[in-house]
């Protein structure tokens, strides 16, 4: 208990005196995970809705791949992204490995299947005749998609929260593609692992508590947006 208490006090101290390194790491964590979640939101929701509204050969295979991707181990994602970004890889000429951009790419790969799979389920759970009713009123394809998304907004928001939770808490891919470089690619999860390896458990606990606070704050905001207008 003493160790946990020391970690809490250390976290409060770091936040109170606005430790420059901790603030920098926290901001980078939020920026990387935020960008990855936004891009994954666009890709995931559009993919999920496209699969829910269209029938075509190979659709079941794509859905199976998405469902498999929802449980991808981050270290496997990190491995493949590293291979693609390696200097001899297909994207090596862009020199993105060991940069914040590489972490964003890895986190997009992690979050997109989660958001796509849950969005697909959300649209499929709508009343079967709702699509026909909307089309019978003269709605365009774009209006149909918008109205269906509005009807499924609560589970879609839950999908976004799940995607954000999946990327802000992952560690394997971030270390592999980012390199945990101080002042450049070090985020809260990789910094926590580093301090734990050094035996600095108070600092590791402090970083862990800050990560939990950050995750709670973002999810509290998303929950507020989700619950402020419940469907009747």
């Amino acid at each position: 208990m003493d160790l946990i208490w020391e970690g809490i006090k250390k976290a409060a101290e770091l936040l109170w005196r606005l430790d420059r390194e901790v603030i920098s790491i926290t901001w980078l964590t939020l920026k990387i995970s935020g960008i990855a979640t936004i891009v994954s939101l666009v890709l995931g929701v559009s993919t999920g809705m496209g699969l829910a509204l269209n029938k075509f050969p190979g659709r079941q295979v794509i859905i199976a791949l998405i469902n498999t991707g929802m449980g991808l181990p981050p270290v496997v994602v990190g491995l493949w992204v590293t291979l693609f970004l390696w200097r001899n890889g297909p994207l090596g000429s862009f020199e993105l490995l060991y940069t914040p951009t590489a972490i964003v790419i890895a986190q997009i790969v992690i979050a997109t299947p989660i958001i796509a799979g849950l969005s697909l389920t959300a649209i499929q759970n709508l009343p079967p005749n709702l699509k026909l009713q909307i089309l019978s009123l003269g709605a365009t394809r774009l209006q149909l998609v918008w109205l269906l998304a509005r009807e499924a907004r609560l589970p879609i928001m839950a999908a976004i929260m799940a995607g954000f939770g999946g990327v802000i808490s992952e560690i394997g891919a971030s270390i592999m593609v980012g390199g945990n470089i101080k002042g450049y690619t070090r985020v809260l999860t990789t910094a926590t692992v580093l301090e734990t390896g050094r035996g600095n458990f108070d600092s590791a606990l402090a970083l862990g508590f800050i990560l939990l606070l950050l995750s709670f704050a973002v999810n509290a905001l998303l929950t507020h947006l989700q619950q402020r207008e419940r469907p009747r």
Side-chain angles (χ1 to χ4, degrees), residues 101-217:
T101 302
I103 303 178
V104 171
I105 293 172
Q107 292 191 356
I108 289 172
V109 176
I110 293 170
T112 298
I114 297 173
I115 297 178
L118 295 178
S119 297
L120 169 63
T121 302
I123 300 301
Q124 288 180 326
N125 283 336
L126 292 175
N129 294 327
L130 181 59
K131 175 183 176 181
L132 296 177
Q133 291 173 356
I134 294 174
L135 291 175
S136 67
L137 295 174
T140 64
R141 186 74 174 178
L142 185 60
Q143 289 172 328
L144 170 67
V145 171
W146 172 251
L147 290 171
L148 291 178
R150 284 195 62 187
E151 288 297 315
R153 62 188 179 276
L154 292 184
I156 287 178
M157 285 296 295
I160 296 170
M161 286 186 273
F164 176 77
V167 296
I168 198 172
S169 61
E170 73 83 26
I171 173 65
S174 294
I175 286 183
M176 294 179 72
V177 305
N180 199 20
I181 303 171
K182 182 178 180 180
Y184 188 49
T185 61
R186 184 167 297 171
V187 292
L188 284 170
T189 50
T190 59
T192 301
V193 170
L194 179 66
E195 294 300 330
T196 301
R198 291 173 172 175
N200 300 328
F201 295 111
D202 55 345
S203 297
L205 279 170
L207 292 168
F209 283 124
I210 292 171
L211 178 61
L212 288 174
L213 286 173
L214 178 62
S215 180
F216 174 78

Side-chain angles (χ1 to χ4, degrees), residues 80-87 89-92 96-97 102 105 177:
W80 280 100
V81 173
T82 299
L83 291 174
F84 270 83
L85 299 183
W86 197 256
R87 59 180 177 271
L91 303 177
L96 295 176
L97 193 60
I105 293 172
V177 305

